[in-house]
Amino acid sequence: MKKQFAFCLLAGILWTACSDKASLEVTNLRCESSIDPQGIDLPLRLSWNLTSSHRNLQQTGYRILVASSPENLENNRGDCWDSGEVLSDESLHIPYQGPRPESRSTCYWKVRVTTNRGTSAWSSPASWRMGLTQPADWQAQWIGLNQSFPGDVLQGKTRLSARYFRKEFTLEDKTLREATLYISGLGLYEAYINDTRIGSQVLSPTPTDYSKTVKYNTFDVTPLLSGSNNALGVVLGNGRFFSMRREGVRHFGFPQLILQLEITYTDGSRQTLLSDSSWKVTANGPIRANNEFDGETYDARMEMPGWSRPGFDDSLWRSCEVTSPPGGTLQAQRNKNIQVMETLTPTSIREVTPGVHILDMGQNMVGWLALKVKGDKGQTVRLRFAETLRQDGTLYLDNLREALVTDTYILRGDDQPEVWEPSFTYHGFRFVEVSGYPGQPAPEDFQGKVVYDEMDLTGHFETSDPTLNQVYRNAYWGIRGNYRGMPTDCPQRDERMGWLGDRAVGSLGESFIFDNHLLYAKWLDDIEQAQREDGSIPDVAPNYWSVYTDNMTWPGAYLIMAQMLYEQYADPEPIARHYNSMKQWMNYMREHYLVEHILTKDTYGDWCMPPESPELIHSQDPGRKTEAALLGTTFYYRMLYLLEGFARLLDKPDDAQAFAREAEEVKNAFNARFLHPETRHYSNNTVTANLLPLCYGMVNEEDQATVFGHIVEKTLGEFNGHVSTGLVGIQWLMRGLTQYGRPDLALQIATNRTYPSWGYMAEKGATTIWELWNGDTADPAMNSANHVMLLGDLIVWYYENLAGIRNKPGSAGFKQIELKPYPLSGLEWVTASYHSVRGPIASAWKKDGGVFRWEVTIPGNTIARVYIPTDGKGPIMEGGAPIHSVPGIRLVETQAGYAVYEIGSGEYDFASDWAM
Ligand code: RAM
């Protein structure tokens, strides 16, 4: 397995030192880029972290050297770029300012920082590698076979056999320096050299609108080449290119491949192997059918041993056609590929009818089942997948709608057990029905492969309350199961689409758990590419489903997520890159749907609020539904607010003023129209109707307490302390209740185990989050057991309020941190950590008799405001000493229940009196 450089690769973990060796480290050097052949030439950006065993480490300057060779770098010769000594406390996204590096070149770099604790030595070197940045760099041609083969199904539930490509090549009689493979295979590829799989990625490349962009992957394949004769083999599956359904789903065509293998010898000479018409292809391999909804059929009798090795007899294979390209620009894939991230073994196996077994994976997971089986040639094992079981213990498939979710393995009939797993499908399941298995299957014959985008786990959260922990675990499984190169709505039924509205605020919560920076940056590009010429933004991107309904709440996620990337990752690029498209969308909505400052258009309402009757999907009761124009107008206002901030960030003061002016008009019109003159509630007084204007800053100060009172009253009264919102209101519920003074009610909602609540889902055995609050009783027509949209701001609240780890409002990427935990009655302790872009932040508190004990970690080069809970009685201690005697800790103020201090980086151990 070879390391992949996803176009521009980075670094390693480094340390450097100044006078006191262990005290100052420059770590985690990384390079980000978006230079691509389209001519978009955004800067390469360099980042690093600082750590120190001393407290209060602050960077005051840096010097970066970028060299064309390790030797030059070693000799401090920055022949590509020498930043010189720069006075700056910034350590993230520093634009590379040397000449644009050539395609394929490797750049070596290091950094030295000056700090309030002295100057570091040079860091250890890091490097990145440029991709194919010019269109002319691609010499290869798109190849394939533009036709069907016997057994292929082209209509309805489409199925194709996989296409196998091969080409032999001879190395020159010289010493090899390196070999790099650039490849894209649509919809999905697996590549081999001399029978060895290239990379460990699965379901690659990342899905896009292939008529606009095609992502390619890059691999160092040097160690896979040997001797003079070699062979390359590639298998293509349908993915999202040959669509899963011909009706209603975007279709691009028969699978196609492009690749370029570039070999360099030590004498500097080069040899290139390109995809072209000299390649051979067959559709007669073992993968007989594949489709992401319906599953894969593998006939092991049709395997072709040695097909990706030199010397294989391919005389019956056909010559490839040069196909017309998919249309999209080839771009290096920056977001990570999908990988098998975890493996589960079934927790039980039970025979339900003779020869039919049900496996329980113990967890609703996403991926597939690998199996081990021994039997006769031609015996057929069939696997079907479901999230739940019927009363009689058989699979419940109704909620999967038209997805066939069936994998089939036909045995070779070896003496030894045969091992198999599919290549080009995936399922969302906890239970698997196994039929046709020869002999008695045992748990160890199966492995559940859990697959999703390879992202770092950045967060850890645990608390004394078991329901909160279980819901966190369910959220974690739901979120990871719905990353498939795009955030999907669900992983199991015949849908699996990138619905924008589902991830609006959820993306922020997710970012605490996973490093989702590059995935969401990619998704914003998908959204922009799906924007219509008139400015309309769809509800689904990439637009494999064409859903342009012109509401505010789903497309609004485009702006909300750009803001998230800026806040959490200090990355302003998505805002800069998409600003014009965002503005164009707002202009479009204004022109078409704004009537006297009220945005009337809405499509989904407060989607999936708890309905009045258990079998319903959506509430029919007008008293429970939130009015369309209220949803549209509050979101329109919110977008103006975000755009105003974006305009200021991009130094466009005129734009910013115009957005602010319009926001004021909208706010006035909104209050005139929706605020009840006497009772001071909004519209029909749903929680969502009052919550959105309150959290968006549309409620005049004198009305805020009353409006909030309505939210509390409604929640406690009509809803008996339970959630009453759908996907829209839930985005602010937990934070809104907390901010306006009822964190206890937020906790009650979060720890409920009765309907409707996340705890109720868990109570009913859920191991993920449901699409519907009443997922156990509602109509199966739209009832997935693995949707994350109803999480809303729950995970944000876990981290920002319960643990108290948050980016100080206005700060980007935790340069300034606010640590403010809520030690609510009913919670004994919280232990959480978050690996931010500037390094790890940790907060672990516990109530210890009458003492609040709190351990805190702050990364280098940041400042934190810590809100230490106190009842104001005894002294506050740090590390066993009175806090006022500890150097570097500054008292800012005392407030109700908190003493607020400012601290720098390091580890702290606070104790305060806390009798509550
Ligand atoms: C469903 C999807 C998704 C939601 C849309 C409106 O089909 O599953 O979650 O955003 O409807």
Side-chain angles (χ1 to χ4, degrees), residues 6-8 31-45 96-105 107 128-135 137 215-216 329-334 573 577:
F7 156 58
C8 168
C31 163
E32 288 159 16
S33 162
S34 14
I35 293 182
D36 65 43
Q38 220 172 16
I40 297 171
D41 196 346
L42 290 156
L44 284 149
R45 297 172 303 162
Y96 162 83
Q97 286 167 50
R100 180 180 173 138
E102 281 176 17
S103 293
R104 310 175 177 87
S105 57
C107 302
W128 76 81
R129 186 186 167 99
M130 300 301 293
L132 300 179
T133 64
Q134 305 297 319
D137 292 332
K215 301 289 186 180
Y216 69 87
T329 311
L330 277 161
Q331 283 180 351
Q333 182 180 320
R334 296 170 66 207
E573 191 206 294
R577 194 173 164 103

Side-chain angles (χ1 to χ4, degrees), residues 632-648:
T633 310
T634 48
F635 261 67
Y636 187 79
Y637 179 86
R638 180 68 178 174
M639 296 302 120
L640 290 170
Y641 167 85
L642 291 175
L643 280 167
E644 186 199 335
F646 296 170
R648 289 199 198 291

Side-chain angles (χ1 to χ4, degrees), residues 115 160 179 284 402 418 572 608 854 857 861 869 887:
T115 73
L160 294 186
N284 278 328
E402 297 285 307
E418 300 171 32
C608 300
W854 190 18
T857 305
N861 204 25

Side-chain angles (χ1 to χ4, degrees), residues 197-407:
R197 177 94 172 259
I198 300 170
S200 53
Q201 74 288 351
V202 296
L203 303 175
S204 301
T206 209
T208 51
D209 174 346
Y210 306 106
S211 71
K212 303 262 172 66
T213 307
V214 174
K215 301 289 186 180
Y216 69 87
N217 298 146
T218 306
F219 300 94
D220 175 6
V221 295
T222 319
L224 300 185
L225 300 181
S226 66
S228 65
N229 292 333
N230 291 271
L232 249 172
V234 180
V235 199
L236 296 189
N238 303 1
R240 303 291 168 115
F241 194 74
F242 193 93
S243 65
M244 297 86 83
R245 298 286 180 269
R246 286 305 293 274
E247 297 77 36
V249 187
R250 184 91 180 270
H251 180 73
F252 296 88
F254 285 101
Q256 300 189 43
L257 166 70
I258 192 166
L259 72 75
Q260 199 153 303
L261 174 63
E262 300 189 349
I263 298 159
T264 316
Y265 297 100
T266 47
D267 65 1
S269 62
R270 284 176 54 188
Q271 181 186 349
T272 317
L273 178 80
L274 307 173
S275 51
D276 60 21
S277 57
S278 71
W279 281 61
K280 297 299 260 326
V281 59
T282 185
N284 278 328
I287 299 179
R288 302 313 308 144
N290 74 97
N291 174 315
E292 288 191 13
F293 289 166
D294 303 318
E296 184 165 310
T297 299
Y298 188 96
D299 187 343
R301 297 169 303 181
M302 297 186 72
E303 282 175 351
M304 306 170 292
W307 70 276
S308 70
R309 267 205 308 267
F312 176 81
D313 176 9
D314 60 12
S315 54
L316 293 177
W317 290 37
R318 303 175 51 166
S319 292
C320 279
E321 289 165 12
V322 172
T323 50
S324 44
T329 311
L330 277 161
Q331 283 180 351
Q333 182 180 320
R334 296 170 66 207
N335 58 306
K336 293 281 184 77
N337 270 320
I338 298 173
Q339 300 272 355
V340 175
M341 300 293 281
E342 190 177 339
T343 299
L344 301 184
T345 310
T347 53
S348 74
I349 180 161
R350 214 161 32 84
E351 191 160 19
V352 279
T353 50
V356 178
H357 291 82
I358 298 286
L359 305 184
D360 182 355
M361 305 310 294
Q363 170 65 47
N364 196 11
M365 56 164 279
V366 177
W368 51 76
L369 194 72
L371 94 155
K372 197 165 76 185
V373 58
K374 190 167 166 321
D376 297 337
K377 185 173 181 173
Q379 281 188 313
T380 300
V381 182
R382 194 175 72 143
L383 310 172
R384 290 200 301 165
F385 300 83
E387 295 178 303
T388 40
L389 296 179
R390 295 185 178 284
Q391 288 274 310
D392 65 2
T394 60
L395 294 188
Y396 178 77
L397 294 162
D398 299 5
N399 69 332
L400 307 188
R401 305 198 299 218
E402 297 285 307
L404 296 178
V405 296
T406 306
D407 290 348

Side-chain angles (χ1 to χ4, degrees), residues 489 493 495 499 502 545 554 604 607 727 771 782 787 789:
D489 62 334
R493 69 183 178 213
E495 184 156 359
W499 283 92
D502 298 28
W545 278 6
W554 263 242
Y604 304 111
W607 188 247
L727 174 155
E771 180 173 24
M782 196 193 87
H787 249 66
M789 65 187 188

Side-chain angles (χ1 to χ4, degrees), residues 88-108:
S88 166
D89 65 352
E90 194 46 270
S91 55
L92 295 180
H93 311 307
I94 309 295
Y96 162 83
Q97 286 167 50
R100 180 180 173 138
E102 281 176 17
S103 293
R104 310 175 177 87
S105 57
T106 302
C107 302
Y108 303 85

